[in-house]
Amino acid sequence: MLHLKTLATAFLLTAPFAAQAADTPWTLHFGAHVVDPKSDTGQLAGIPARVSKSTRPTFSVEYRFAPGWTAELLAALPFQHEVRLDGTRAVSVKQLPPLLGVNYHFMEGAKVSPFIGAGVNYTWFFDKKGRNALQGTHVQMENSWGAAGHAGVDVRLDERWTFTVDARYIDIDSKVKVNGARVGTAHVDPWVYGASVGYRL
């Protein structure tokens, strides 16, 4: 009986701190996502262009600022793509697509909680290299600002851990130049989908 009273006393003393920890507004997510550009990315120098997909580790920090509402900053290791002209490899390029957005969680705190969101993306293209017929040329791809939509589902594993599957659509358009001459605009506009594990701090 004394043992039960001791446990009850310990629970009552630690419950406020446990509740406070569970209510922390910060969550870190670690996972992997695929950047999958649309199949028709326009024409470059009058030739149909296509950009390959790429998969990389991703991480984000999410801040709960109101019931159901969170702000999220998404980052990743550099994605690497190939630009093909009429099926032939022409350019290799790396890009970083940091994204800042706001999400609304419909059933916050439930075992399964769907969410939607919107935000703004900045895509930085770098390490651009001409291949095959463009080997040795100077290739430029302008960085891009664009809107982004977001949707997914959180599955709560326990008080701190969450498993998330999600998808984003990002508006990415980049003007392309070869040796200083503009050859067109790459309308990348990818779907970005993947999964992550979240930990509430």
Side-chain angles (χ1 to χ4, degrees):
M1 187 69 175
L2 180 60
H3 181 63
L4 291 177
K5 288 183 177 179
T6 301
L7 288 176
T9 302
F11 175 79
L12 291 174
L13 290 174
T14 58
F17 298 98
Q20 184 177 6
D23 288 341
T24 179
W26 296 97
T27 301
L28 298 179
H29 295 268
F30 298 92
H33 284 75
V34 180
V35 173
D36 188 4
K38 69 177 186 177
S39 58
D40 179 12
T41 54
Q43 293 192 347
L44 300 178
I47 304 173
R50 184 166 185 174
V51 181
S52 66
K53 66 176 64 175
S54 179
T55 303
R56 289 292 185 271
T58 55
F59 44 94
S60 67
V61 58
E62 195 170 16
Y63 178 77
R64 179 180 181 273
F65 61 88
W69 291 94
T70 61
E72 182 182 24
L73 177 63
L74 174 70
L77 295 183
F79 292 91
Q80 184 165 347
H81 302 275
E82 289 184 354
V83 181
R84 292 181 175 270
L85 299 180
D86 204 17
T88 302
R89 186 185 183 204
V91 176
S92 65
V93 62
K94 295 179 181 178
Q95 55 97 352
L96 283 172
L99 191 154
L100 180 63
V102 175
N103 300 315
Y104 178 72
H105 301 258
F106 290 96
M107 301 169 63
E108 186 181 38
K111 179 70 174 180
V112 178
S113 176
F115 61 85
I116 60 171
V120 62
N121 161 259
Y122 178 76
T123 300
W124 173 42
F125 294 97
F126 64 100
D127 198 15
K128 303 169 285 287
K129 297 177 181 177
R131 304 295 185 186
N132 294 321
L134 295 183
Q135 187 78 37
T137 62
H138 178 56
V139 179
Q140 296 173 274
M141 293 184 67
E142 289 189 1
N143 299 336
S144 169
W145 285 97
H150 190 200
V153 177
D154 289 329
V155 179
R156 187 164 60 90
L157 304 178
D158 59 26
E159 289 301 316
R160 290 189 180 273
W161 290 96
T162 303
F163 177 73
T164 301
V165 291
D166 66 335
R168 292 177 170 85
Y169 180 80
I170 306 177
D171 178 25
I172 300 177
D173 298 313
S174 175
K175 295 178 181 178
V176 182
K177 294 181 179 180
V178 176
N179 289 335
R182 184 176 173 182
V183 296
T185 299
H187 302 282
V188 184
D189 300 338
W191 283 98
V192 181
Y193 47 85
S196 63
V197 174
Y199 179 74
R200 184 178 296 173
L201 299 178

